[in-house]
Amino acid sequence: MAFFVMRIAYQGEPGAFSEAAARQVNADAELVPCRGFEDVFDAVNAGPANYGVLPIENTTGGSIHRNFDLLLENHLPIIGEVELPVVHNLLALPGVTMERVRRIWRAAC
């Protein structure tokens, strides 16, 4: 009896929002983190992954045109949709008030 392991490629590091979206597709899948959007398509086309999860649009930036272009170039179908609410938090050391916050740094991956 053959055993199918679902492997889902996504763009980003473990902990990225795209990983969370991939886990919504299948919580038991083996996830394949990829450096860039193109790498997700390569992973699906070459076989390390059976599926890919990529953002198509977001409420802040709108459509992610590069991924539309990659869909056309690679002839891979869209087979599902995941809506993922994205929540960001501002963190500070205990006791720091908003009045004392002077600079906000975005964490780089």
Side-chain angles (χ1 to χ4, degrees):
M1 181 172 161
F3 182 70
F4 176 77
V5 176
M6 181 181 280
R7 291 181 183 90
I8 303 174
Y10 67 93
Q11 185 277 324
E13 299 290 327
F17 291 117
S18 290
E19 179 191 28
R23 291 214 180 276
Q24 281 191 14
V25 172
N26 185 323
D28 298 323
E30 182 180 307
L31 301 183
V32 180
C34 298
R35 190 171 193 86
F37 298 138
E38 294 84 356
D39 301 319
V40 173
F41 282 91
D42 291 345
V44 175
N45 284 324
N50 316 97
Y51 300 94
V53 170
L54 288 168
I56 295 297
E57 68 178 0
N58 65 53
T59 55
T60 305
S63 296
I64 302 175
H65 299 287
R66 181 66 187 137
N67 287 338
F68 283 109
D69 293 341
L70 288 166
L71 279 166
L72 290 172
E73 291 169 20
N74 288 275
H75 307 289
L76 293 176
I78 296 173
I79 62 167
E81 176 183 22
V82 172
E83 289 190 29
L84 181 72
V86 174
V87 178
H88 294 279
N89 295 287
L90 178 61
L91 305 175
L93 295 172
V96 174
T97 64
M98 284 300 292
E99 292 76 27
R100 289 186 51 207
V101 174
R102 296 286 177 247
R103 199 175 289 175
I104 298 172
W105 295 87
R106 188 187 88 174
C109 296

